[in-house]
Amino acid sequence: MNPTLPVAYDIAWSASIVVWVAIAVFFCVKVVRDQTLTPGSKLLWVIVIVCAPVVGVIAWFASADWRRRSQPLTAHSERESQSVR
């Protein structure tokens, strides 16, 4: 134990690492499950999210929203929208 560092400092750094790993794993799973991406783009997204989790997650949200708007409605999504009405 390092007497020059307070325990709260150690706990804060440990918690931030746990949060970083949780965010990286969660969004890597979301990327891998995305059916609209090619295998190469999935690999690129996983690398970006692992190397820069905050920027990578923000970029993923921005591009996912853009991809959703650019895709035409499918029969499945049309049925869902009709069942909601």
Side-chain angles (χ1 to χ4, degrees):
M1 183 173 211
N2 189 349
T4 59
L5 294 175
V7 175
Y9 184 77
D10 290 338
I11 292 172
W13 276 107
S14 298
S16 65
I17 290 171
V18 168
V19 168
W20 175 75
V21 169
I23 288 172
V25 168
F26 178 76
F27 281 99
C28 286
V29 169
K30 286 184 72 76
V31 167
V32 171
R33 289 185 176 176
D34 191 343
Q35 299 296 320
T36 61
L37 297 174
T38 64
S41 61
K42 286 180 183 183
L43 178 64
L44 181 65
W45 274 114
V46 168
I47 291 170
V48 168
I49 289 172
V50 169
C51 292
V54 174
V55 175
V57 168
I58 291 170
W60 170 254
F61 276 127
S63 71
D65 186 44
W66 175 78
R67 281 194 315 265
R68 241 183 277 123
R69 279 193 242 144
S70 66
Q71 290 178 350
L73 286 176
T74 61
H76 177 70
S77 62
E78 288 175 5
R79 281 192 307 256
E80 285 180 351
S81 64
Q82 289 174 356
S83 66
V84 172
R85 293 179 192 168

